[in-house]
Amino acid sequence: MANGERELPRPTPETQHFWDGTRKGELRFQCCEDCKNTYFPPRHFCPSCGSKNVNVVKASGKATLHSYIISHLPAPGFQTPYAIAIAKLEEGPTMMCNILGCEQTPEALIIDMPLSVTFERINDEITLPQFKPMGTN
Amino acid sequence: MERNAIAIVGASETTELGKVPTMSQVQLHADAALNAIEDAGLKLSDIDGVATGGHNAVEIAHYLGIVPNWLDGTSVGGCSFMLLVRHACAAIDGGLCNTVLITHGESGRSGLGRHGSSIFPSLFQQQFERPYGVTRPPTMFTIPVLRYMKDYGLSEETLAMVSVVQREWAGKNPKASFKDPITVDEVLNSKMICYPFRLLMCCLVTDGGGALILTKADLARDLRQKPVYIRGTGESAETPMISQMADFTSSAAFRVSGKNAFESAGISHSDVDHLMIYDAFAHLPIYGLEDLGFVGRGEAGPFIAEGCTRPGAKLPLNTNGGGLSYMHSGMYGMYALQEGVRQMRGTAPAQVNGAEISVVHGVGGMFSASGTIVMTNVA
């Protein structure tokens, strides 16, 4: 196990709504009203068409396991081995996560398996969105 | 820009490679630079353009006593040197300077006088990736591969063959860090780093450097070395975050950079005699072969495993042994370019007989950026 605390995000004006959402148990992404593109990470305009006519939308929280590795390298705040994964949201965007409530093995982590969002409270300001196998607590 | 208008007239690596506890990073740059100037038969005072990546270009110019007419510090990871070759060609062609020195030096192993990370962590990456335990490149660069393996049926054994074949090339190179042959079993039984990647699927960590000197082709003919002409170039970028790569089985930056290089060079794949694809990890040559268009999607693993890139085969790939077996200080792109130059000069330890066109393809960051150079020894 590595020493130290895990690195935490520092919200910016463009991303504050996202971190406000996770604190309230909501996963948020953005949707362009003009070209209907859904996107993540957050910014004040659509990276597909440049429009500023964008809304913040609550994600369903349903995703699939798009890809992952199982790291055996020490990292602050993590006990090895641990998976670093990519969740592909039902709405389209991908995001990095860990897979909670699951053995960190190739046998347990099956590509394309269904996942659901869960929230890992770190401190008063930061709650990280995480994912777990669908149907687990 | 006109093809073959600019040439590489000086090229050298540092006097020593591997473990160099006697030199800090800036001295590795300078050692390579002075070697390249000697190689070209030039003097320091002939250099009027300075470019480097991963280190402050001002410090390099000052350290060498050069007050340049042109400066470029593009730093987008290990392919920065491919981009700098491209930028230098444009600068010389545009009359901004006459003779450009591009340097690389990295105390990757000994950590002496390091500049810190050459890849500036974006705020996005700090917010949306670092909290999940990504640290060094093996924890990021490897992430797309299980997706590729599922989509295209690539096996761990086939992935391991990339390391096995490159070790065959390294065995022909006296300067390679690792020269002894390895088997698929040895690769798969080496220490697990980041599943599915074992130690022998990951690059070395070494000290070293390299430098290139470029000038106009018509001046090159009077110099000491056989000129290596820049026939075509490309560059691109996709994302600073591996999690935001649009397609985990293909790099958009590779595709754009490669297409631009091939089109500007006016060549097709069958024209290529020698190929370098930056191999920080074993999957990079697979992605590179497909994204550059040498083989179809999903075909590169079997292509390598069947021996199509090994010594004596039709497409000699990573003939120095690559980052996996030759040398990898952190920003490997310079060493791939050096091998391209050696092959075009006819001086490589594992020389491809009669090679006239070399393609050198680099990656920066974690599939973040890319640069591609087409070299030739035919004016």
Side-chain angles (χ1 to χ4, degrees), chain B residues 55-97:
Chain B
H55 205 103
N56 187 336
V58 175
E59 186 174 356
I60 300 305
H62 169 262
Y63 198 74
L64 289 166
I66 299 168
V67 179
N69 291 321
W70 176 84
L71 200 65
D72 191 335
T74 300
S75 194
V76 293
C79 68
S80 299
F81 310 101
M82 285 79 173
L83 277 73
L84 292 172
V85 166
R86 190 173 202 239
H87 301 176
C89 288
I92 296 167
D93 195 55
L96 302 183
C97 54

Side-chain angles (χ1 to χ4, degrees), chain B residues 148 154 157-166 168-169 275 277 279 281-290 295 298-311 313-315 317-318 324:
Chain B
Y148 181 102
L154 175 71
E157 288 76 12
T158 302
L159 183 61
M161 275 301 291
V162 176
S163 305
V164 170
V165 172
Q166 288 200 195
E168 291 183 26
W169 284 110
L275 177 62
I277 297 175
D279 57 323
F281 296 91
H283 60 309
L284 268 296
I286 293 175
Y287 282 65
L289 281 168
E290 294 178 12
V295 296
E299 294 174 3
F303 184 77
I304 292 171
E306 287 161 13
C308 298
T309 62
R310 69 169 27 136
K314 62 181 176 182
L315 185 59
L317 170 65
N318 293 343
L324 293 172

Side-chain angles (χ1 to χ4, degrees), chain A residues 19-37:
Chain A
W19 297 110
D20 289 344
T22 57
R23 210 165 50 235
K24 294 172 186 163
E26 268 187 23
L27 182 63
R28 296 171 177 174
F29 59 92
Q30 284 168 293
C31 186
C32 175
E33 288 300 303
D34 290 338
C35 78
K36 305 303 175 194
N37 176 43

Side-chain angles (χ1 to χ4, degrees), chain B residues 36-260:
Chain B
I37 290 167
E38 166 72 22
D39 178 74
L42 292 171
K43 301 186 298 293
L44 254 177
S45 55
D46 294 320
I47 305 297
D48 72 338
V50 173
T52 193
H55 205 103
N56 187 336
V58 175
E59 186 174 356
I60 300 305
H62 169 262
Y63 198 74
L64 289 166
I66 299 168
V67 179
N69 291 321
W70 176 84
L71 200 65
D72 191 335
T74 300
S75 194
V76 293
C79 68
S80 299
F81 310 101
M82 285 79 173
L83 277 73
L84 292 172
V85 166
R86 190 173 202 239
H87 301 176
C89 288
I92 296 167
D93 195 55
L96 302 183
C97 54
N98 290 313
T99 305
V100 170
L101 168 69
I102 302 174
T103 69
H104 161 67
E106 195 165 11
S107 187
R109 181 173 177 135
S110 301
L112 300 171
R114 287 202 78 173
H115 225 255
S117 171
S118 60
I119 299 152
F120 305 107
S122 75
L123 204 51
F124 268 171
Q125 215 240 337
Q126 288 176 15
Q127 288 193 64
F128 300 110
E129 291 192 343
R130 298 292 293 189
Y132 300 104
V134 299
T135 54
R136 289 179 286 156
T139 67
M140 293 178 274
F141 221 152
T142 53
I143 288 177
V145 170
L146 284 182
R147 180 77 261 164
Y148 181 102
M149 291 169 82
K150 168 99 189 262
D151 287 359
Y152 291 112
L154 175 71
S155 67
E156 293 182 26
E157 288 76 12
T158 302
L159 183 61
M161 275 301 291
V162 176
S163 305
V164 170
V165 172
Q166 288 200 195
R167 188 60 68 84
E168 291 183 26
W169 284 110
K172 296 176 172 295
N173 186 350
K175 289 174 79 178
S177 295
F178 294 124
K179 294 186 270 291
D180 294 338
I182 48 174
T183 65
V184 167
D185 281 348
E186 284 170 327
V187 175
L188 293 178
N189 289 322
S190 62
K191 185 182 175 188
M192 187 65 83
I193 303 296
C194 285
Y195 171 84
F197 282 79
R198 281 74 165 181
L199 182 65
L200 291 177
M201 299 170 173
C202 304
C203 64
L204 305 163
V205 183
T206 53
D207 304 324
L212 297 169
I213 297 169
L214 288 85
T215 194
K216 284 185 181 157
D218 51 5
L219 300 175
R221 289 179 197 109
D222 298 328
L223 294 175
R224 181 178 289 169
Q225 301 293 345
K226 180 178 179 180
V228 176
Y229 303 98
I230 306 300
R231 180 160 169 154
T233 62
E235 70 186 274
S236 191
E238 182 178 359
T239 168
M241 306 166 74
I242 193 76
S243 65
Q244 300 307 310
M245 201 176 172
D247 178 349
F248 274 33
T249 69
S250 173
S251 162
F254 280 17
R255 296 194 305 271
V256 171
S257 179
K259 184 168 183 287
N260 286 338

Side-chain angles (χ1 to χ4, degrees), chain A residues 1 4 26 28 32 35-36 45-46 54-55 74 83 88 96 107 109-110 123-124 137:
Chain A
M1 178 161 173
E26 268 187 23
R28 296 171 177 174
C32 175
C35 78
K36 305 303 175 194
F45 61 92
C46 171
V54 296
N55 288 326
K88 186 170 178 60
M96 190 172 279
E107 293 72 28
L109 295 163
I110 307 299
N123 58 34
D124 287 347
N137 292 316

Side-chain angles (χ1 to χ4, degrees), chain A residues 43-79:
Chain A
R43 66 208 87 168
H44 288 335
F45 61 92
C46 171
S48 181
C49 74
S51 168
K52 293 178 183 171
N53 188 17
V54 296
N55 288 326
V56 174
V57 183
K58 182 183 173 187
S60 71
K62 292 179 186 167
T64 53
L65 180 55
H66 194 54
S67 202
Y68 70 92
I69 56 148
I70 301 172
S71 179
H72 291 247
L73 299 175
F78 285 83
Q79 189 159 10

